[in-house]
Amino acid sequence: MFIWHNGALVKKEEASISPFDHGFLYGVGLFETFRVYNGHCFLLDDHLARLNAGLEVLEIKKRINRPEAVRAVKELIEANGFMDAYIRLNISAGAGEIGLRSEPYSEPEMIVFSKPLPRAGSLQEKSGKIVSLNRNTPEGQQRLKSHHYLNNLLAYREMRDAPGAEGIFLTKDGHVAEGIVSNIFWVSEGALFTPSLETGILNGITRQFVIELARKAGLDVREGLYSVDELLASEEVFFTNSIQEIVACPQIGDNKLPGKAGRLAQWLHNRYAACREIYYSRNELGTEGFS
């Protein structure tokens, strides 16, 4: 198995970075995960826009454009022998002296990882469970998709008694936030609800795509601060992320939900599936009414 490291294919057993890398020492690094469908990097432009904005915040002197990313992914998946893949594009700050620094990072490490995925299929289900650990607040003004993942890891360990389910974070004030590896949506009285970025959640690329799909279909999409009771009183619930796509939720705790029988989850998944091998950005979406 190969990885792509700073412009070259490297066997994973031979890859290395410095122990003085500030991504290792202090978590100064960002990553994006996305799917490749039959060689196409779905929503790549949106992922790169988020990544590049984060790199600017962290003052890492690196910007990645679509041709560079496509070339890296193409070389990687061809070397590894698969066309449907999980991709993690990782930028680490690079080596420096021990101790915090205020200067920008000018020699970052770029690593692209891949692993094969089966061809995408029908709408899947995953139960949900409210975790007791609160969602931590972002380190800065907004949550970056960074190496700071301990909050997610500890919540994931809390889910050991519910394998295959998604843990749902609440904020310290008790508002619904997001899943451990997903954003969350629900339907109530004809409107689509999802927690606001004010809760400190990651603005997921699939989250943004689903909101755009729904709004262009004429649906009422509401972002705000919502309680667990409002979530549990909903008509259907689903999770979103870039690898699992749209995942219907049949149950949260003891509360039963329609799961993949949910009408909106089915429609959104079908629209999503029609876009997988075509679009680089949600901005390419046209209008199609929900019916």
Side-chain angles (χ1 to χ4, degrees), residues 47-200:
H47 283 281
L48 294 181
R50 182 173 68 178
L51 177 64
N52 288 331
L55 292 172
E56 184 172 352
V57 170
L58 295 183
E59 297 187 353
I60 296 175
K61 299 298 184 179
K62 176 72 175 177
R63 301 296 180 269
I64 305 170
N65 57 35
R66 187 204 294 181
E68 180 183 7
V70 167
R71 182 174 66 253
V73 170
K74 183 174 184 293
E75 291 178 3
L76 183 61
I77 62 176
E78 287 180 352
N80 287 327
F82 42 78
M83 295 296 286
D84 291 272
Y86 164 110
I87 300 292
R88 173 172 166 142
L89 194 165
N90 198 95
I91 305 291
S92 190
E97 296 299 322
I98 295 177
L100 300 180
R101 63 184 282 173
S102 60
E103 299 83 6
Y105 294 93
S106 59
E107 297 182 8
E109 300 275 350
M110 177 175 171
I111 304 176
V112 185
F113 305 86
S114 69
K115 60 183 179 182
L117 290 176
R119 293 282 291 176
S122 58
L123 179 64
Q124 300 298 303
E125 290 186 328
K126 179 183 284 190
S127 294
K129 177 184 175 182
I130 307 295
V131 296
S132 64
L133 183 67
N134 289 335
R135 190 58 167 127
N136 62 348
T137 57
E139 290 82 11
Q141 294 298 313
Q142 59 184 321
R143 187 173 299 281
L144 303 178
K145 198 170 179 70
S146 75
H147 292 183
H148 293 273
Y149 236 61
L150 189 56
N151 192 219
N152 302 65
L153 174 62
L154 294 176
Y156 190 73
R157 288 180 175 175
E158 189 178 324
M159 295 292 294
R160 283 171 173 160
D161 64 342
E166 175 66 315
I168 300 170
F169 279 118
L170 307 181
T171 69
K172 65 180 179 59
D173 297 319
H175 296 121
V176 179
E178 61 187 338
I180 296 173
V181 295
S182 68
N183 291 115
I184 187 168
F185 290 82
W186 60 93
V187 179
S188 185
E189 297 181 351
L192 180 62
F193 293 81
T194 195
S196 164
L197 299 182
E198 185 182 345
T199 61

Side-chain angles (χ1 to χ4, degrees), residues 32 43 114 198 261 280:
E32 292 288 329
L43 300 182
S114 69
E198 185 182 345
Y280 283 106

